[in-house]
Amino acid sequence: MKKLPEGWREVRLEEICEVNMGQSPKSETYNENNIGLPLIQGNADIKNRKTLPRVYTSEPTKQCDIGDIIMTVRAPVGAIAKSYHNACIGRGVCALKPKENNDFLYHFLVNYEDKWDKLSQGSTFTAVNGNDIKNIKILYPPLEEQKKIAEILSTVDQKIDFVDKQIEETETLKKGLMQKLLTQGIGHSEFKDSEIGRIPKSWEVSKLENHVKIISGQSPSKFIFDGGRYKFFKVNQLNFCEKYLSESEYSYNTSNYENLKVGTIIFPKRGAAIFTNKVRILKTEGFIDTNLMGLITKKTLNSEFLYYLLVMFELSNIADTSSIPQINNKHINPLKFPFPPIEEQKQIAEILSTVDQKIENLKAKKEAFEELKKGLMQKLLTGEVRVKV
């Protein structure tokens, strides 16, 4: 056994806190009328490590208090949050009430999440019971050192929360700007009635088919992936970028198809991926598979402007959802949008791109703080680095 830091001891979780396993109430007691107590059932009722219950129950079973630590006990196992509610806890979570320093144990268990992840990888590990949780082994420093460690880590958490709020505020700003700029434009005083509502006098309503060329994807089997200079994209690659699509594990040198150029608009055309509204702009030459669609803009339409137009309109409003969700040429061509002159399109896109860049910078800042915290937890919660008390 590794030598413990001086003054520290190894304890089981049940020695330092009360463990309260959740119990789900009867489903017929669920309501959205704020009758009874909020119900925390699992990971779906947690956001940014804070409880965010979706429903109430009029007949609470097990309960937690504000400030208790909430741990999920069903997949994903071990996710940690703080309770911001006096609430009922369902069987997907447990509530932990520390006897000494609440924040120290909270940070320890956040750091412990990685261990649950490793246990669950490649296995059928989907739940833990009360004994599993009570027997978690914890390196436990003296109380004053606990407080100091928790203070340092909580300071970083406050920085992360502050950046989170900035991201949320900026995304709200972007949503409002999109709605205004894409329907009212920049600085217009004269408007006219159109078949889709009031629009600036200099704008024109037109079908999308007049401004784009639709490109269908091809099966990966028709390409030889030899590590070449051109990228081949599948739906999954859309998950790893926010706006510009450029990275893929699949690449080729030659094909029987003309490469899609930089600026092509890419989005899912089949299945549940449509509802994720992942519209992207191609940032490198390449091609797409059959589950994606590409739109090449003509001289009358700026690709960045079209990107924001589709994001605001949402792909789910375009798709046929009667059976398997899908978007085909017949759904794209007749779409009518209000189009400003090309120079105003560029100005609108530039304004919205500036806001996007701010959001991207804030997310990078948040990620840097999260990496800092991860490093601090590794050193402080193991005693590798000691704090002065």
Side-chain angles (χ1 to χ4, degrees):
M1 176 178 163
K2 188 175 180 180
K3 185 177 179 182
L4 293 174
E6 185 178 351
W8 289 38
R9 57 196 176 99
E10 186 178 77
V11 299
R12 288 180 295 111
L13 183 62
E14 68 174 345
E15 296 177 53
I16 58 171
C17 79
E18 297 176 19
V19 178
N20 186 15
M21 301 299 292
Q23 180 183 341
S24 295
K26 296 177 181 178
S27 59
E28 54 263 33
T29 69
Y30 294 3
N31 67 88
E32 297 179 356
N33 302 317
N34 296 4
I35 299 172
L37 287 178
L39 175 60
I40 303 168
Q41 303 182 80
N43 205 47
D45 297 304
I46 293 170
K47 183 179 180 181
N48 294 331
R49 299 202 181 280
K50 300 174 183 177
T51 53
L52 193 66
R54 298 162 294 166
V55 298
Y56 277 65
T57 173
S58 58
E59 295 182 12
T61 48
K62 299 290 189 72
Q63 297 180 29
C64 70
D65 298 322
I66 292 173
D68 284 357
I69 298 169
I70 302 298
M71 176 190 288
T72 58
V73 299
R74 293 173 179 267
V77 170
I80 297 297
K82 285 186 179 179
S83 178
Y84 279 65
H85 303 81
N86 294 316
C88 174
I89 52 174
R91 63 179 183 173
V93 300
C94 68
L96 308 174
K97 193 183 297 292
K99 298 174 182 177
E100 289 188 337
N101 189 280
N102 189 68
D103 283 341
F104 174 82
L105 182 59
Y106 166 78
H107 290 298
F108 181 91
L109 292 172
V110 167
N111 193 47
Y112 200 87
E113 284 178 339
D114 287 344
K115 294 189 178 180
W116 294 120
D117 286 342
K118 289 175 182 176
L119 279 174
S120 61
Q121 286 175 1
S123 72
T124 55
F125 180 80
T126 58
V128 291
N129 59 38
N131 285 333
D132 293 326
I133 294 166
K134 290 174 183 178
N135 288 312
I136 293 174
K137 292 181 179 178
I138 295 174
L139 294 179
Y140 207 57
L143 181 58
E144 291 306 311
E145 194 169 352
Q146 290 180 41
K147 291 178 180 178
K148 190 65 178 177
I149 291 170
E151 180 185 340
I152 293 169
L153 296 175
S154 294
T155 298
V156 182
D157 273 346
Q158 289 169 12
K159 297 284 188 183
I160 294 171
D161 286 343
F162 180 71
V163 176
D164 256 335
K165 288 177 183 176
Q166 288 183 304
I167 292 171
E168 186 176 342
E169 289 169 359
T170 309
E171 287 178 335
T172 300
L173 169 66
K174 176 188 169 183
K175 188 175 180 179
L177 277 174
M178 286 174 63
Q179 181 63 39
K180 183 176 177 62
L181 292 173
L182 295 173
T183 57
Q184 300 177 34
I186 303 172
H188 291 277
S189 57
E190 293 186 278
F191 292 81
K192 64 183 179 183
D193 291 323
S194 77
E195 58 190 293
I196 59 174
R198 297 277 287 175
I199 61 173
K201 191 175 180 180
S202 61
W203 290 27
E204 295 296 335
V205 174
S206 180
K207 291 181 180 180
L208 195 52
E209 67 180 336
N210 297 325
H211 303 278
V212 300
K213 177 183 177 182
I214 300 174
I215 302 296
S216 297
Q218 296 293 335
S219 170
S221 64
K222 296 182 179 180
F223 290 76
I224 298 175
F225 299 125
D226 52 9
R229 58 179 295 198
Y230 303 117
K231 300 292 185 181
F232 185 89
F233 299 98
K234 299 183 179 183
V235 171
N236 187 52
Q237 272 79 55
L238 306 187
N239 297 324
F240 302 104
C241 59
E242 294 290 335
K243 179 180 178 182
Y244 296 109
L245 180 62
S246 61
E247 297 300 323
S248 174
E249 61 191 283
Y250 310 101
S251 58
Y252 62 93
N253 269 311
T254 60
S255 77
N256 294 323
Y257 307 97
E258 183 179 352
N259 285 334
L260 299 182
K261 303 300 182 184
V262 172
T264 302
I265 302 296
I266 306 294
F267 53 84
K269 63 171 288 187
R270 185 176 291 111
I274 289 172
F275 297 99
T276 64
N277 206 38
K278 287 185 170 72
V279 182
R280 301 291 185 259
I281 303 175
L282 200 59
K283 205 65 175 174
T284 185
E285 289 189 31
F287 213 80
I288 54 176
D289 84 349
T290 52
N291 292 312
L292 294 171
M293 177 177 281
L295 301 181
I296 298 175
T297 56
K298 300 178 182 179
K299 292 182 179 180
T300 55
L301 182 56
N302 177 267
S303 61
E304 297 256 346
F305 179 84
L306 177 59
Y307 164 80
Y308 289 112
L309 204 57
L310 291 175
V311 167
M312 185 181 75
F313 193 74
E314 297 195 2
L315 299 176
S316 59
N317 291 321
I318 301 173
D320 174 1
T321 57
S322 57
S323 55
I324 298 174
Q326 56 185 310
I327 299 174
N328 295 314
N329 295 28
K330 66 180 181 180
H331 304 116
I332 294 293
N333 285 328
L335 285 174
K336 289 184 177 181
F337 290 112
F339 293 104
I342 191 69
E343 286 306 316
E344 189 175 355
Q345 291 181 33
K346 292 176 182 177
Q347 291 171 9
I348 290 171
E350 187 175 340
I351 292 169
L352 295 173
S353 291
T354 300
V355 181
D356 269 339
Q357 186 60 58
K358 182 179 179 181
I359 293 171
E360 188 176 324
N361 292 343
L362 286 170
K363 287 181 176 179
K365 188 176 182 181
K366 178 185 175 182
E367 188 175 334
F369 278 129
E370 288 173 336
E371 284 300 311
L372 171 62
K373 185 187 176 187
K374 188 175 180 180
L376 285 171
M377 287 195 299
Q378 181 60 36
K379 293 183 181 299
L380 297 178
L381 295 173
T382 60
E384 181 181 339
V385 173
R386 304 294 296 271
V387 297
K388 293 182 179 180
V389 294

